[in-house]
Amino acid sequence: MRFDVVTAVPECFAGWLDSSIIQRARAAGKIEIALHALRNFAPDKHRMIDDYPYGGGRGMVLKPEPIFRAVEYCLTQARPGLKPEIILLTPQGQVFTQSVAQELATCPHLIFICGRYEGVDERVREHLVTWELSIGDYVLIGGEIPAMVVMEAVARLVPGVVGTYASTEDESFSNGLLEYPHYTRPAEFRGWKVPDILLSGHHERVRLWRHLQRLKRTLERRPELLTQRRLTREERRLLVRIL
Ligand code: SAM
């Protein structure tokens, strides 16, 4: 999986790139992340990447030419026959969810364009990008944190990045439910005990308890997820116990 990131501030990515699972996945060659400083693609000698908006108004807008040039350079790095997705991070885009992450994980090459200031020249959106993504209904300073959010969620789905692939299977949203609660040692902390069932060593009962907890949590916190889901027979039986 290759990620190219076009950004005005590549230094934003420093700590994230070099820590924990992302760093290990890069070192193992499971994912490749290349940062492209927008300034390096500015054609003029002052390396201008932004300018005033036509029509007046406050703020600056990222110019189209450096972005087109940077993305066109990234496309030269694509494997023959492979069409990368070109993703613009914008609060006006489709809201990013786990199912979008799953869909993106099937494309081995993603190119991200991080906006700044008032955003990017509209012609980038109209003629270059294939996907517009928002990480939620709020406005951040730049697209760098959203790009990290999307890359991290997608990278975790690449086989071999997070321990065994199985460890992402029961996670929240992975099949339309929230995850069950976790406990670790000690078995009793300040008088609060771990549920007996988890200490029983009875795998089938633990599995059923966890399934019940997933349903219960989803019903309490995100009931709309349950209505969007086709329930299995076991889930219908378990739900009767909760309702
Ligand atoms: N003027 C823009 C608007 O009102 O839609 C907001 C621009 S914002 C200050 C600057 C950049 O941050 C955006 O171009 C985008 O790349 C990024 N950004 C901010 N919030 C975002 C969000 N919720 N999701 C994705 N990207 C976001």
Side-chain angles (χ1 to χ4, degrees), residues 15 25 41-42 51 72 105 112 142 145 159-160 166 176 185 213 220 227 240:
F41 295 89
D51 212 329
E72 280 155 8
F112 295 91
I145 290 175
R185 288 175 182 76
Q213 297 305 313
E220 284 163 5
T227 55
V240 170

Side-chain angles (χ1 to χ4, degrees), residues 169-205:
E169 271 172 13
D170 277 347
E171 277 182 340
S172 299
F173 310 112
S174 59
N175 64 2
L177 297 176
L178 300 181
E179 202 182 38
Y180 50 80
H182 295 282
Y183 295 88
T184 185
R185 288 175 182 76
E188 184 171 341
F189 171 68
R190 297 188 178 175
W192 300 307
K193 290 184 177 160
V194 169
D196 288 340
I197 186 94
L198 296 178
L199 309 176
S200 70
H202 196 299
H203 296 306
E204 179 54 15
R205 278 204 230 139

Side-chain angles (χ1 to χ4, degrees), residues 52-121:
Y52 295 101
Y54 276 123
R58 286 193 308 168
M60 301 297 272
V61 177
L62 286 178
K63 289 161 73 66
E65 188 163 7
I67 298 179
F68 271 80
R69 288 173 55 151
V71 170
E72 280 155 8
Y73 169 76
C74 298
L75 291 173
T76 66
Q77 306 299 300
R79 268 191 263 143
L82 193 121
K83 214 170 163 290
E85 293 291 348
I86 303 169
I87 300 166
L88 175 66
L89 285 317
T90 163
Q92 302 177 20
Q94 174 185 359
V95 176
F96 184 61
T97 60
Q98 188 67 18
S99 63
V100 176
Q102 278 156 353
E103 199 174 336
L104 289 177
T106 64
C107 176
H109 189 171
L110 305 176
I111 300 172
F112 295 91
I113 302 170
C114 305
R116 279 264 146 181
Y117 319 119
E118 287 310 311
V120 303
D121 185 286

Side-chain angles (χ1 to χ4, degrees), residues 89-92 115 117-119 133-136 138-143 146:
L89 285 317
T90 163
Q92 302 177 20
Y117 319 119
E118 287 310 311
L133 284 182
S134 162
I135 61 159
Y138 40 80
V139 177
L140 301 170
I141 294 170

Side-chain angles (χ1 to χ4, degrees), residues 194-218:
V194 169
D196 288 340
I197 186 94
L198 296 178
L199 309 176
S200 70
H202 196 299
H203 296 306
E204 179 54 15
R205 278 204 230 139
V206 169
R207 187 192 68 76
L208 271 177
W209 180 86
R210 285 181 165 161
H211 202 166
L212 181 71
Q213 297 305 313
R214 296 187 77 190
L215 289 163
K216 207 167 158 218
R217 290 223 144 169
T218 312

